Amino acid sequence: MATYTLYGAEVSYFTGKARAYLRWRGVDFEEVLSSRDVFASVILPKVGWPVIPVAAMPDGEIVQDTADIIAHVEAREQLKPPVQPEGPLQRFVNELLHLYADEWLVIPAMHYRWSYCEEWAYAEFGALSAPEASPEEQFEIGRNMGQMFRGMTPMLGVTPETIPGIEASYEAFLADFTRHLKAHPFLLGRRPCLADFAFIGPLYAHLLRDPVPGELMRRIAPRVADWVASTHAGAKDISPLPADDSVPETLVPILQRQMREQLPALQATAALFEGWLKMATPGADLPRGFGMIPITIEGRTAEAAARAFQLYRLQGALDAYAALEGEEKVRADALLSATGGEALSTLQLPARLTRRNYRLALA
């Protein structure tokens, strides 16, 4: 049997997403700890910059970015059911939730890790980077590594002013997700889809596994904690999704939160992207961000970086919306209206984005 190799770590947000998918898909894979030796011998020479997860396909091709890893495995294996929903409306909602998990739940994930678990995280980073070192040496190595990640939190809008809003929003999300899970085993029905694995990124690697948010989740949302653990372990359910392409009503509060909090940030980022395009050359690599934008979470406002990659995930959702026709589009528009997301139906990116040489670029 062909073997995949996943270079990642338990502490890594996006490794959890890829690992849960590979376990569910049931392919043969080996996970290799991304120590500093692995970065030096594999990741930096192949990818060109320090990032995990990275996956090696059975033919040796190196793939980076979890969505790309999943798409490559799907194309190679051609197994049923597909990770992407087949219903057009379900596929659109799947992409919306993918966008939310990858690019918005990162805010509470990074807040809880670096506001409450800083020293624990340094020890984790050190053990990852130098498993052969003593605990004291690992801590110092982890501190040197972790300072970069710790310094990212203000760029995500995590400030003393916004922290109460971030925590209130996250706890409300846990309550909404708990209500959903009482009625449905996964986001869109009786089997996991791409969005479920995207949720595992923040909810497992940061918010369940880190000690302080892990205790919080187990205490106030034990059903969510159990779902995270079982889905990360590779829940094998392949039951069909609703044949009528319906979307659970219990997702409406989660989508309302997404539209209330994330959509304005996406609109502002798209506007700055349009300004950047005026000076960009065709096919240029995108910067990590385009400047600063305001974000508001539970009435708390701060400046945050206008991150470029969220536009790539947004493009996936907009493409799924554009593919809708007739009654499908009517139902999608009704859902957007019910969730306060009407502006998404007219939102357009001023240029196509692609992934080239492991980087985000103009198509």
Side-chain angles (χ1 to χ4, degrees):
M1 183 181 293
T3 300
Y4 298 85
T5 301
L6 180 68
Y7 298 97
E10 286 286 322
V11 75
S12 161
Y13 192 110
F14 288 106
T15 300
K17 174 184 174 184
R19 184 190 301 112
Y21 161 77
L22 290 169
R23 288 173 171 173
W24 170 77
R25 182 46 82 202
V27 298
D28 188 31
F29 80 99
E30 174 189 14
E31 184 168 345
V32 175
L33 183 67
S34 297
S35 66
R36 55 188 174 186
D37 290 341
V38 167
F39 271 98
S41 63
V42 178
I43 296 173
L44 288 173
K46 298 288 188 179
V47 178
W49 56 292
V51 61
I52 54 173
V54 170
M57 300 293 108
D59 61 3
E61 180 184 6
I62 297 295
V63 183
Q64 187 274 317
D65 180 66
T66 47
D68 289 352
I69 292 168
I70 290 169
H72 273 69
V73 176
E74 287 288 288
R76 291 182 63 92
E77 300 295 334
Q78 293 290 306
L79 296 173
K80 299 294 182 182
V83 75
Q84 289 279 12
E86 294 169 310
L89 180 59
Q90 292 168 351
R91 191 179 184 103
F92 171 52
V93 172
N94 176 68
E95 289 297 338
L96 287 178
L97 294 172
H98 185 198
L99 167 65
Y100 182 63
D102 274 13
E103 301 296 329
W104 200 253
L105 286 179
V106 67
I107 297 173
M110 290 290 281
H111 155 59
Y112 280 100
R113 170 165 291 177
W114 296 109
S115 297
Y116 295 117
C117 306
E118 183 174 354
E119 293 200 353
W120 177 88
Y122 291 153
E124 290 284 296
F125 274 74
L128 160 65
S129 181
E132 76 290 346
S134 70
E136 293 77 17
E137 291 171 325
Q138 288 178 347
F139 186 85
E140 289 307 313
I141 292 168
R143 186 198 299 274
N144 291 333
M145 293 176 60
Q147 286 296 317
M148 178 186 71
F149 294 100
R150 176 69 179 86
M152 290 170 55
T153 54
M155 302 304 290
L156 291 169
V158 179
T159 69
E161 291 73 26
T162 58
I163 283 173
I166 291 168
E167 294 185 357
S169 178
Y170 172 63
E171 291 188 24
F173 161 78
L174 288 178
D176 292 336
F177 196 21
T178 295
R179 284 189 286 271
H180 172 80
L181 291 174
K182 288 179 179 178
H184 306 277
F186 297 101
L187 286 168
L188 290 172
R190 298 199 59 78
R191 78 161 190 263
C193 296
L194 177 60
D196 293 274
F197 301 121
F199 268 44
I200 291 301
L203 294 181
Y204 171 73
H206 283 236
L207 294 166
L208 179 61
R209 192 171 177 276
D210 289 16
V212 173
E215 187 280 328
L216 175 70
M217 186 190 294
R218 293 183 182 93
R219 176 165 48 84
I220 72 171
R223 188 181 293 267
V224 174
D226 290 345
W227 179 87
V228 172
S230 64
T231 305
H232 175 257
K236 298 299 182 184
D237 203 319
I238 56 172
S239 300
L241 296 176
D244 61 356
D245 196 23
S246 60
V247 173
E249 292 185 3
T250 44
L251 288 179
V252 167
I254 294 173
L255 292 169
Q256 286 174 331
R257 183 167 302 280
Q258 179 184 21
M259 297 305 165
R260 185 167 62 250
E261 296 176 355
Q262 188 178 24
L263 181 55
L266 293 169
Q267 292 172 300
T269 300
L272 290 183
F273 172 46
E274 186 170 15
W276 176 85
L277 273 174
K278 296 174 182 177
M279 300 176 289
T281 58
D285 288 347
L286 269 67
R288 291 179 66 88
F290 304 109
M292 302 297 288
I293 57 170
I295 65 167
T296 300
I297 301 176
E298 292 294 324
R300 304 289 184 124
T301 299
E303 291 286 300
R307 293 173 285 121
F309 202 87
Q310 62 186 331
L311 296 183
Y312 188 53
R313 285 288 176 264
L314 171 63
Q315 180 175 272
L318 295 178
D319 287 350
Y321 179 78
L324 297 168
E325 297 178 343
E327 179 60 26
E328 301 162 356
K329 186 173 183 299
V330 170
R331 293 169 65 203
D333 287 340
L335 180 62
L336 289 176
S337 179
T339 57
E342 296 94 335
L344 192 75
S345 66
T346 57
L347 181 59
Q348 294 184 337
L349 295 181
R352 293 287 301 179
L353 303 177
T354 190
R355 295 259 304 158
R356 186 184 302 119
N357 298 324
Y358 308 110
R359 295 181 184 273
L360 188 60
L362 296 176

